[in-house]
Amino acid sequence: MRKTMGYASELKKLQVELLKLQRHVKKHGLRILTIFEGRDAAGKGGTIKRFVEHLNPRGARIVALEKPNDREQTEWYFQRYVSHLPSAGEMVFFDRSWYNRAMVEPVMGFCTDEEHKKFLKYVPDFELLLVNDGILLFKYYFSVSKQEQNDRFKARETDLLKQYKLSPVDLESQEMWNEYSIRKFEMLTNTNRTATPWTIIRSDNKKRARINCIKYFLTHIEYEERIPVSELEPESEIIISGIDEITLMEKGLMDMSSLPG
């Protein structure tokens, strides 16, 4: 890792940039949608927290939906997500999204094979509609190793402030590691498109993952008074393109346990 300023100082610097960006978003009526996906305990929530920590909540929302209720289960799959899309001047952060149907639902048996296949077929078109309507869409997948995920689960078991994060689905994640790897590969190969690409965040080191995710985000939107882009350059070993991740997974499919998470 190249020499950098301390984590707290660098995070503060980036959060100031996020405030500049928010002013720009409000001034120009932009709509920004950022999706955070990844395995359980991959660091999604902690990164979102650092994104929004100092933003004005009137223009920045976190969307973390519960499992669908009886009525929602009968609706068009994307329907309950559409109501949370950003309006002009808003930044919306999805802590998990419609991509539940790409990994968690098929692995845990919460959807049928046909529903899973239909989702992978139609979600690129759905996202293209959003982008063509002017929404700036970012898709981040947080990749954690099997051993690191296990260590984080064990830490949660003894931390009274984090035990709420453990669920029956989480506890099965280690046993279902290979199944999740297969679904991840299917998701990336079917939904990594030029207009709506995936960006992979290696997140075994939470602090580096947070810093680099914010940096990458800030370099992909022009806004007033932005610091030099050279100061926002992310680390290449932390930020991986979706197509490069697909290539890595293709090479490693014989040994599922060693695949990137």
PDB file of all heavy atoms in Angstrom, residues 164-195:
ATOM      1  N   TYR A 164     -27.092  -7.772  16.553  1.00  0.00           N
ATOM      2  CA  TYR A 164     -28.297  -7.599  15.733  1.00  0.00           C
ATOM      3  C   TYR A 164     -28.014  -7.851  14.260  1.00  0.00           C
ATOM      4  O   TYR A 164     -28.938  -8.140  13.482  1.00  0.00           O
ATOM      5  CB  TYR A 164     -28.861  -6.185  15.916  1.00  0.00           C
ATOM      6  CG  TYR A 164     -28.119  -5.115  15.135  1.00  0.00           C
ATOM      7  CD1 TYR A 164     -28.531  -4.738  13.860  1.00  0.00           C
ATOM      8  CD2 TYR A 164     -26.989  -4.485  15.661  1.00  0.00           C
ATOM      9  CE1 TYR A 164     -27.850  -3.767  13.134  1.00  0.00           C
ATOM     10  CE2 TYR A 164     -26.307  -3.524  14.938  1.00  0.00           C
ATOM     11  CZ  TYR A 164     -26.736  -3.165  13.688  1.00  0.00           C
ATOM     12  OH  TYR A 164     -26.038  -2.219  12.986  1.00  0.00           O
ATOM     13  N   LYS A 165     -26.740  -7.750  13.868  1.00  0.00           N
ATOM     14  CA  LYS A 165     -26.387  -7.953  12.463  1.00  0.00           C
ATOM     15  C   LYS A 165     -26.403  -9.423  12.066  1.00  0.00           C
ATOM     16  O   LYS A 165     -26.392  -9.741  10.876  1.00  0.00           O
ATOM     17  CB  LYS A 165     -24.995  -7.370  12.179  1.00  0.00           C
ATOM     18  CG  LYS A 165     -24.912  -5.851  12.279  1.00  0.00           C
ATOM     19  CD  LYS A 165     -23.542  -5.365  11.857  1.00  0.00           C
ATOM     20  CE  LYS A 165     -23.462  -3.847  11.850  1.00  0.00           C
ATOM     21  NZ  LYS A 165     -22.140  -3.359  11.385  1.00  0.00           N
ATOM     22  N   LEU A 166     -26.383 -10.326  13.054  1.00  0.00           N
ATOM     23  CA  LEU A 166     -26.379 -11.751  12.746  1.00  0.00           C
ATOM     24  C   LEU A 166     -27.801 -12.241  12.504  1.00  0.00           C
ATOM     25  O   LEU A 166     -28.710 -11.970  13.278  1.00  0.00           O
ATOM     26  CB  LEU A 166     -25.755 -12.548  13.900  1.00  0.00           C
ATOM     27  CG  LEU A 166     -24.232 -12.622  13.946  1.00  0.00           C
ATOM     28  CD1 LEU A 166     -23.792 -13.361  15.204  1.00  0.00           C
ATOM     29  CD2 LEU A 166     -23.670 -13.314  12.715  1.00  0.00           C
ATOM     30  N   SER A 167     -27.983 -12.975  11.424  1.00  0.00           N
ATOM     31  CA  SER A 167     -29.279 -13.559  11.107  1.00  0.00           C
ATOM     32  C   SER A 167     -29.066 -15.012  10.682  1.00  0.00           C
ATOM     33  O   SER A 167     -27.932 -15.410  10.381  1.00  0.00           O
ATOM     34  CB  SER A 167     -29.953 -12.781   9.973  1.00  0.00           C
ATOM     35  OG  SER A 167     -29.280 -13.020   8.753  1.00  0.00           O
ATOM     36  N   PRO A 168     -30.127 -15.800  10.633  1.00  0.00           N
ATOM     37  CA  PRO A 168     -29.972 -17.181  10.161  1.00  0.00           C
ATOM     38  C   PRO A 168     -29.350 -17.267   8.771  1.00  0.00           C
ATOM     39  O   PRO A 168     -28.572 -18.167   8.481  1.00  0.00           O
ATOM     40  CB  PRO A 168     -31.413 -17.701  10.155  1.00  0.00           C
ATOM     41  CG  PRO A 168     -32.095 -16.907  11.229  1.00  0.00           C
ATOM     42  CD  PRO A 168     -31.483 -15.537  11.130  1.00  0.00           C
ATOM     43  N   VAL A 169     -29.694 -16.304   7.913  1.00  0.00           N
ATOM     44  CA  VAL A 169     -29.118 -16.285   6.563  1.00  0.00           C
ATOM     45  C   VAL A 169     -27.614 -16.049   6.639  1.00  0.00           C
ATOM     46  O   VAL A 169     -26.831 -16.699   5.937  1.00  0.00           O
ATOM     47  CB  VAL A 169     -29.793 -15.207   5.703  1.00  0.00           C
ATOM     48  CG1 VAL A 169     -29.063 -15.038   4.368  1.00  0.00           C
ATOM     49  CG2 VAL A 169     -31.257 -15.568   5.449  1.00  0.00           C
ATOM     50  N   ASP A 170     -27.202 -15.119   7.508  1.00  0.00           N
ATOM     51  CA  ASP A 170     -25.772 -14.839   7.668  1.00  0.00           C
ATOM     52  C   ASP A 170     -25.014 -16.092   8.097  1.00  0.00           C
ATOM     53  O   ASP A 170     -23.943 -16.402   7.568  1.00  0.00           O
ATOM     54  CB  ASP A 170     -25.551 -13.748   8.716  1.00  0.00           C
ATOM     55  CG  ASP A 170     -26.134 -12.407   8.309  1.00  0.00           C
ATOM     56  OD1 ASP A 170     -26.323 -12.191   7.105  1.00  0.00           O
ATOM     57  OD2 ASP A 170     -26.410 -11.598   9.212  1.00  0.00           O
ATOM     58  N   LEU A 171     -25.564 -16.799   9.073  1.00  0.00           N
ATOM     59  CA  LEU A 171     -24.874 -17.937   9.646  1.00  0.00           C
ATOM     60  C   LEU A 171     -24.712 -19.082   8.651  1.00  0.00           C
ATOM     61  O   LEU A 171     -23.861 -19.948   8.834  1.00  0.00           O
ATOM     62  CB  LEU A 171     -25.634 -18.421  10.890  1.00  0.00           C
ATOM     63  CG  LEU A 171     -25.681 -17.398  12.047  1.00  0.00           C
ATOM     64  CD1 LEU A 171     -26.548 -17.905  13.183  1.00  0.00           C
ATOM     65  CD2 LEU A 171     -24.263 -17.097  12.548  1.00  0.00           C
ATOM     66  N   GLU A 172     -25.498 -19.094   7.600  1.00  0.00           N
ATOM     67  CA  GLU A 172     -25.369 -20.120   6.573  1.00  0.00           C
ATOM     68  C   GLU A 172     -24.417 -19.710   5.455  1.00  0.00           C
ATOM     69  O   GLU A 172     -24.115 -20.510   4.562  1.00  0.00           O
ATOM     70  CB  GLU A 172     -26.746 -20.451   5.973  1.00  0.00           C
ATOM     71  CG  GLU A 172     -27.702 -21.124   6.947  1.00  0.00           C
ATOM     72  CD  GLU A 172     -28.994 -21.548   6.271  1.00  0.00           C
ATOM     73  OE1 GLU A 172     -28.915 -22.256   5.254  1.00  0.00           O
ATOM     74  OE2 GLU A 172     -30.065 -21.165   6.755  1.00  0.00           O
ATOM     75  N   SER A 173     -23.945 -18.463   5.488  1.00  0.00           N
ATOM     76  CA  SER A 173     -23.125 -17.944   4.397  1.00  0.00           C
ATOM     77  C   SER A 173     -21.843 -18.737   4.183  1.00  0.00           C
ATOM     78  O   SER A 173     -21.410 -18.939   3.040  1.00  0.00           O
ATOM     79  CB  SER A 173     -22.777 -16.476   4.652  1.00  0.00           C
ATOM     80  OG  SER A 173     -23.929 -15.675   4.642  1.00  0.00           O
ATOM     81  N   GLN A 174     -21.200 -19.156   5.268  1.00  0.00           N
ATOM     82  CA  GLN A 174     -19.961 -19.916   5.129  1.00  0.00           C
ATOM     83  C   GLN A 174     -20.210 -21.285   4.489  1.00  0.00           C
ATOM     84  O   GLN A 174     -19.477 -21.699   3.582  1.00  0.00           O
ATOM     85  CB  GLN A 174     -19.308 -20.084   6.506  1.00  0.00           C
ATOM     86  CG  GLN A 174     -18.658 -18.825   7.060  1.00  0.00           C
ATOM     87  CD  GLN A 174     -17.263 -18.591   6.522  1.00  0.00           C
ATOM     88  OE1 GLN A 174     -16.344 -19.372   6.757  1.00  0.00           O
ATOM     89  NE2 GLN A 174     -17.100 -17.502   5.781  1.00  0.00           N
ATOM     90  N   GLU A 175     -21.262 -21.953   4.931  1.00  0.00           N
ATOM     91  CA  GLU A 175     -21.571 -23.264   4.367  1.00  0.00           C
ATOM     92  C   GLU A 175     -21.984 -23.170   2.903  1.00  0.00           C
ATOM     93  O   GLU A 175     -21.745 -24.092   2.120  1.00  0.00           O
ATOM     94  CB  GLU A 175     -22.697 -23.928   5.172  1.00  0.00           C
ATOM     95  CG  GLU A 175     -22.310 -24.274   6.605  1.00  0.00           C
ATOM     96  CD  GLU A 175     -23.451 -24.928   7.360  1.00  0.00           C
ATOM     97  OE1 GLU A 175     -24.462 -25.275   6.714  1.00  0.00           O
ATOM     98  OE2 GLU A 175     -23.323 -25.099   8.576  1.00  0.00           O
ATOM     99  N   MET A 176     -22.582 -22.042   2.534  1.00  0.00           N
ATOM    100  CA  MET A 176     -23.074 -21.859   1.170  1.00  0.00           C
ATOM    101  C   MET A 176     -22.102 -21.046   0.319  1.00  0.00           C
ATOM    102  O   MET A 176     -22.490 -20.492  -0.703  1.00  0.00           O
ATOM    103  CB  MET A 176     -24.433 -21.144   1.217  1.00  0.00           C
ATOM    104  CG  MET A 176     -25.461 -21.760   2.146  1.00  0.00           C
ATOM    105  SD  MET A 176     -25.995 -23.390   1.595  1.00  0.00           S
ATOM    106  CE  MET A 176     -27.148 -22.949   0.295  1.00  0.00           C
ATOM    107  N   TRP A 177     -20.847 -20.986   0.717  1.00  0.00           N
ATOM    108  CA  TRP A 177     -19.868 -20.142   0.040  1.00  0.00           C
ATOM    109  C   TRP A 177     -19.797 -20.426  -1.462  1.00  0.00           C
ATOM    110  O   TRP A 177     -19.832 -19.511  -2.287  1.00  0.00           O
ATOM    111  CB  TRP A 177     -18.485 -20.319   0.664  1.00  0.00           C
ATOM    112  CG  TRP A 177     -17.443 -19.414   0.063  1.00  0.00           C
ATOM    113  CD1 TRP A 177     -16.611 -19.682  -1.001  1.00  0.00           C
ATOM    114  CD2 TRP A 177     -17.145 -18.073   0.463  1.00  0.00           C
ATOM    115  NE1 TRP A 177     -15.810 -18.610  -1.274  1.00  0.00           N
ATOM    116  CE2 TRP A 177     -16.116 -17.603  -0.382  1.00  0.00           C
ATOM    117  CE3 TRP A 177     -17.639 -17.231   1.462  1.00  0.00           C
ATOM    118  CZ2 TRP A 177     -15.577 -16.323  -0.273  1.00  0.00           C
ATOM    119  CZ3 TRP A 177     -17.102 -15.957   1.578  1.00  0.00           C
ATOM    120  CH2 TRP A 177     -16.086 -15.517   0.726  1.00  0.00           C
ATOM    121  N   ASN A 178     -19.687 -21.699  -1.823  1.00  0.00           N
ATOM    122  CA  ASN A 178     -19.554 -22.046  -3.237  1.00  0.00           C
ATOM    123  C   ASN A 178     -20.795 -21.662  -4.037  1.00  0.00           C
ATOM    124  O   ASN A 178     -20.696 -21.181  -5.176  1.00  0.00           O
ATOM    125  CB  ASN A 178     -19.286 -23.552  -3.393  1.00  0.00           C
ATOM    126  CG  ASN A 178     -17.902 -23.932  -2.895  1.00  0.00           C
ATOM    127  OD1 ASN A 178     -17.102 -23.081  -2.530  1.00  0.00           O
ATOM    128  ND2 ASN A 178     -17.632 -25.227  -2.869  1.00  0.00           N
ATOM    129  N   GLU A 179     -21.970 -21.873  -3.443  1.00  0.00           N
ATOM    130  CA  GLU A 179     -23.212 -21.510  -4.127  1.00  0.00           C
ATOM    131  C   GLU A 179     -23.283 -20.004  -4.384  1.00  0.00           C
ATOM    132  O   GLU A 179     -23.686 -19.553  -5.463  1.00  0.00           O
ATOM    133  CB  GLU A 179     -24.424 -21.964  -3.304  1.00  0.00           C
ATOM    134  CG  GLU A 179     -24.649 -23.469  -3.284  1.00  0.00           C
ATOM    135  CD  GLU A 179     -23.782 -24.197  -2.265  1.00  0.00           C
ATOM    136  OE1 GLU A 179     -22.881 -23.563  -1.656  1.00  0.00           O
ATOM    137  OE2 GLU A 179     -23.993 -25.402  -2.082  1.00  0.00           O
ATOM    138  N   TYR A 180     -22.859 -19.217  -3.386  1.00  0.00           N
ATOM    139  CA  TYR A 180     -22.835 -17.764  -3.568  1.00  0.00           C
ATOM    140  C   TYR A 180     -21.835 -17.372  -4.661  1.00  0.00           C
ATOM    141  O   TYR A 180     -22.085 -16.435  -5.438  1.00  0.00           O
ATOM    142  CB  TYR A 180     -22.471 -17.064  -2.262  1.00  0.00           C
ATOM    143  CG  TYR A 180     -23.654 -16.797  -1.360  1.00  0.00           C
ATOM    144  CD1 TYR A 180     -23.854 -17.538  -0.195  1.00  0.00           C
ATOM    145  CD2 TYR A 180     -24.576 -15.804  -1.661  1.00  0.00           C
ATOM    146  CE1 TYR A 180     -24.935 -17.296   0.633  1.00  0.00           C
ATOM    147  CE2 TYR A 180     -25.664 -15.555  -0.834  1.00  0.00           C
ATOM    148  CZ  TYR A 180     -25.841 -16.310   0.315  1.00  0.00           C
ATOM    149  OH  TYR A 180     -26.930 -16.062   1.120  1.00  0.00           O
ATOM    150  N   SER A 181     -20.701 -18.074  -4.732  1.00  0.00           N
ATOM    151  CA  SER A 181     -19.708 -17.773  -5.764  1.00  0.00           C
ATOM    152  C   SER A 181     -20.279 -18.000  -7.157  1.00  0.00           C
ATOM    153  O   SER A 181     -20.066 -17.185  -8.073  1.00  0.00           O
ATOM    154  CB  SER A 181     -18.456 -18.640  -5.571  1.00  0.00           C
ATOM    155  OG  SER A 181     -17.779 -18.308  -4.380  1.00  0.00           O
ATOM    156  N   ILE A 182     -21.017 -19.085  -7.330  1.00  0.00           N
ATOM    157  CA  ILE A 182     -21.629 -19.378  -8.626  1.00  0.00           C
ATOM    158  C   ILE A 182     -22.635 -18.296  -8.997  1.00  0.00           C
ATOM    159  O   ILE A 182     -22.653 -17.801 -10.133  1.00  0.00           O
ATOM    160  CB  ILE A 182     -22.312 -20.760  -8.591  1.00  0.00           C
ATOM    161  CG1 ILE A 182     -21.257 -21.862  -8.469  1.00  0.00           C
ATOM    162  CG2 ILE A 182     -23.167 -20.973  -9.838  1.00  0.00           C
ATOM    163  CD1 ILE A 182     -21.832 -23.236  -8.197  1.00  0.00           C
ATOM    164  N   ARG A 183     -23.463 -17.902  -8.039  1.00  0.00           N
ATOM    165  CA  ARG A 183     -24.473 -16.865  -8.313  1.00  0.00           C
ATOM    166  C   ARG A 183     -23.828 -15.518  -8.582  1.00  0.00           C
ATOM    167  O   ARG A 183     -24.321 -14.744  -9.424  1.00  0.00           O
ATOM    168  CB  ARG A 183     -25.449 -16.769  -7.141  1.00  0.00           C
ATOM    169  CG  ARG A 183     -26.239 -18.024  -6.865  1.00  0.00           C
ATOM    170  CD  ARG A 183     -27.023 -18.490  -8.076  1.00  0.00           C
ATOM    171  NE  ARG A 183     -27.874 -19.624  -7.745  1.00  0.00           N
ATOM    172  CZ  ARG A 183     -28.629 -20.281  -8.617  1.00  0.00           C
ATOM    173  NH1 ARG A 183     -28.633 -19.924  -9.892  1.00  0.00           N
ATOM    174  NH2 ARG A 183     -29.366 -21.307  -8.239  1.00  0.00           N
ATOM    175  N   LYS A 184     -22.750 -15.228  -7.880  1.00  0.00           N
ATOM    176  CA  LYS A 184     -22.031 -13.969  -8.138  1.00  0.00           C
ATOM    177  C   LYS A 184     -21.514 -13.944  -9.571  1.00  0.00           C
ATOM    178  O   LYS A 184     -21.653 -12.934 -10.281  1.00  0.00           O
ATOM    179  CB  LYS A 184     -20.873 -13.812  -7.150  1.00  0.00           C
ATOM    180  CG  LYS A 184     -19.986 -12.593  -7.452  1.00  0.00           C
ATOM    181  CD  LYS A 184     -18.724 -12.601  -6.597  1.00  0.00           C
ATOM    182  CE  LYS A 184     -17.762 -11.497  -7.035  1.00  0.00           C
ATOM    183  NZ  LYS A 184     -16.479 -11.534  -6.285  1.00  0.00           N
ATOM    184  N   PHE A 185     -20.932 -15.044 -10.000  1.00  0.00           N
ATOM    185  CA  PHE A 185     -20.407 -15.125 -11.364  1.00  0.00           C
ATOM    186  C   PHE A 185     -21.522 -14.942 -12.389  1.00  0.00           C
ATOM    187  O   PHE A 185     -21.376 -14.200 -13.368  1.00  0.00           O
ATOM    188  CB  PHE A 185     -19.705 -16.470 -11.574  1.00  0.00           C
ATOM    189  CG  PHE A 185     -19.089 -16.629 -12.932  1.00  0.00           C
ATOM    190  CD1 PHE A 185     -17.933 -15.955 -13.271  1.00  0.00           C
ATOM    191  CD2 PHE A 185     -19.674 -17.467 -13.874  1.00  0.00           C
ATOM    192  CE1 PHE A 185     -17.362 -16.096 -14.536  1.00  0.00           C
ATOM    193  CE2 PHE A 185     -19.120 -17.610 -15.133  1.00  0.00           C
ATOM    194  CZ  PHE A 185     -17.952 -16.933 -15.463  1.00  0.00           C
ATOM    195  N   GLU A 186     -22.653 -15.583 -12.162  1.00  0.00           N
ATOM    196  CA  GLU A 186     -23.802 -15.431 -13.056  1.00  0.00           C
ATOM    197  C   GLU A 186     -24.278 -13.981 -13.084  1.00  0.00           C
ATOM    198  O   GLU A 186     -24.611 -13.442 -14.147  1.00  0.00           O
ATOM    199  CB  GLU A 186     -24.941 -16.347 -12.611  1.00  0.00           C
ATOM    200  CG  GLU A 186     -24.683 -17.825 -12.809  1.00  0.00           C
ATOM    201  CD  GLU A 186     -25.807 -18.685 -12.268  1.00  0.00           C
ATOM    202  OE1 GLU A 186     -26.552 -18.217 -11.386  1.00  0.00           O
ATOM    203  OE2 GLU A 186     -25.946 -19.827 -12.730  1.00  0.00           O
ATOM    204  N   MET A 187     -24.332 -13.361 -11.915  1.00  0.00           N
ATOM    205  CA  MET A 187     -24.786 -11.976 -11.816  1.00  0.00           C
ATOM    206  C   MET A 187     -23.877 -11.046 -12.610  1.00  0.00           C
ATOM    207  O   MET A 187     -24.344 -10.225 -13.409  1.00  0.00           O
ATOM    208  CB  MET A 187     -24.828 -11.534 -10.360  1.00  0.00           C
ATOM    209  CG  MET A 187     -25.255 -10.078 -10.144  1.00  0.00           C
ATOM    210  SD  MET A 187     -25.108  -9.557  -8.423  1.00  0.00           S
ATOM    211  CE  MET A 187     -23.326  -9.318  -8.292  1.00  0.00           C
ATOM    212  N   LEU A 188     -22.578 -11.179 -12.418  1.00  0.00           N
ATOM    213  CA  LEU A 188     -21.641 -10.295 -13.103  1.00  0.00           C
ATOM    214  C   LEU A 188     -21.666 -10.506 -14.615  1.00  0.00           C
ATOM    215  O   LEU A 188     -21.667  -9.543 -15.382  1.00  0.00           O
ATOM    216  CB  LEU A 188     -20.224 -10.506 -12.564  1.00  0.00           C
ATOM    217  CG  LEU A 188     -19.953 -10.075 -11.116  1.00  0.00           C
ATOM    218  CD1 LEU A 188     -18.513 -10.367 -10.737  1.00  0.00           C
ATOM    219  CD2 LEU A 188     -20.266  -8.604 -10.909  1.00  0.00           C
ATOM    220  N   THR A 189     -21.662 -11.747 -15.048  1.00  0.00           N
ATOM    221  CA  THR A 189     -21.617 -12.010 -16.485  1.00  0.00           C
ATOM    222  C   THR A 189     -22.885 -11.547 -17.191  1.00  0.00           C
ATOM    223  O   THR A 189     -22.850 -11.189 -18.374  1.00  0.00           O
ATOM    224  CB  THR A 189     -21.389 -13.500 -16.772  1.00  0.00           C
ATOM    225  OG1 THR A 189     -22.372 -14.287 -16.085  1.00  0.00           O
ATOM    226  CG2 THR A 189     -19.994 -13.930 -16.323  1.00  0.00           C
ATOM    227  N   ASN A 190     -24.015 -11.528 -16.488  1.00  0.00           N
ATOM    228  CA  ASN A 190     -25.280 -11.141 -17.104  1.00  0.00           C
ATOM    229  C   ASN A 190     -25.606  -9.663 -16.965  1.00  0.00           C
ATOM    230  O   ASN A 190     -26.403  -9.126 -17.752  1.00  0.00           O
ATOM    231  CB  ASN A 190     -26.427 -11.964 -16.512  1.00  0.00           C
ATOM    232  CG  ASN A 190     -26.505 -13.358 -17.079  1.00  0.00           C
ATOM    233  OD1 ASN A 190     -27.045 -13.586 -18.149  1.00  0.00           O
ATOM    234  ND2 ASN A 190     -25.933 -14.318 -16.349  1.00  0.00           N
ATOM    235  N   THR A 191     -25.021  -8.980 -15.971  1.00  0.00           N
ATOM    236  CA  THR A 191     -25.465  -7.611 -15.684  1.00  0.00           C
ATOM    237  C   THR A 191     -24.354  -6.575 -15.712  1.00  0.00           C
ATOM    238  O   THR A 191     -24.608  -5.407 -15.440  1.00  0.00           O
ATOM    239  CB  THR A 191     -26.176  -7.544 -14.313  1.00  0.00           C
ATOM    240  OG1 THR A 191     -25.234  -7.813 -13.260  1.00  0.00           O
ATOM    241  CG2 THR A 191     -27.306  -8.558 -14.240  1.00  0.00           C
ATOM    242  N   ASN A 192     -23.123  -6.982 -16.019  1.00  0.00           N
ATOM    243  CA  ASN A 192     -22.036  -6.012 -16.168  1.00  0.00           C
ATOM    244  C   ASN A 192     -22.067  -5.491 -17.604  1.00  0.00           C
ATOM    245  O   ASN A 192     -21.522  -6.101 -18.514  1.00  0.00           O
ATOM    246  CB  ASN A 192     -20.687  -6.661 -15.864  1.00  0.00           C
ATOM    247  CG  ASN A 192     -19.558  -5.650 -15.847  1.00  0.00           C
ATOM    248  OD1 ASN A 192     -19.426  -4.861 -14.912  1.00  0.00           O
ATOM    249  ND2 ASN A 192     -18.736  -5.648 -16.881  1.00  0.00           N
ATOM    250  N   ARG A 193     -22.719  -4.375 -17.813  1.00  0.00           N
ATOM    251  CA  ARG A 193     -22.878  -3.794 -19.140  1.00  0.00           C
ATOM    252  C   ARG A 193     -22.096  -2.481 -19.239  1.00  0.00           C
ATOM    253  O   ARG A 193     -21.803  -1.844 -18.229  1.00  0.00           O
ATOM    254  CB  ARG A 193     -24.360  -3.540 -19.439  1.00  0.00           C
ATOM    255  CG  ARG A 193     -25.223  -4.805 -19.367  1.00  0.00           C
ATOM    256  CD  ARG A 193     -24.827  -5.821 -20.437  1.00  0.00           C
ATOM    257  NE  ARG A 193     -25.586  -7.055 -20.340  1.00  0.00           N
ATOM    258  CZ  ARG A 193     -26.764  -7.263 -20.916  1.00  0.00           C
ATOM    259  NH1 ARG A 193     -27.342  -6.287 -21.621  1.00  0.00           N
ATOM    260  NH2 ARG A 193     -27.366  -8.434 -20.808  1.00  0.00           N
ATOM    261  N   THR A 194     -21.820  -2.058 -20.453  1.00  0.00           N
ATOM    262  CA  THR A 194     -21.051  -0.829 -20.669  1.00  0.00           C
ATOM    263  C   THR A 194     -21.711   0.375 -20.009  1.00  0.00           C
ATOM    264  O   THR A 194     -21.047   1.205 -19.375  1.00  0.00           O
ATOM    265  CB  THR A 194     -20.888  -0.562 -22.172  1.00  0.00           C
ATOM    266  OG1 THR A 194     -20.221  -1.682 -22.781  1.00  0.00           O
ATOM    267  CG2 THR A 194     -20.067   0.710 -22.405  1.00  0.00           C
ATOM    268  N   ALA A 195     -23.036   0.475 -20.128  1.00  0.00           N
ATOM    269  CA  ALA A 195     -23.762   1.621 -19.569  1.00  0.00           C
ATOM    270  C   ALA A 195     -23.998   1.492 -18.076  1.00  0.00           C
ATOM    271  O   ALA A 195     -24.224   2.491 -17.386  1.00  0.00           O
ATOM    272  CB  ALA A 195     -25.094   1.794 -20.298  1.00  0.00           C
TER     273      ALA A 195
END
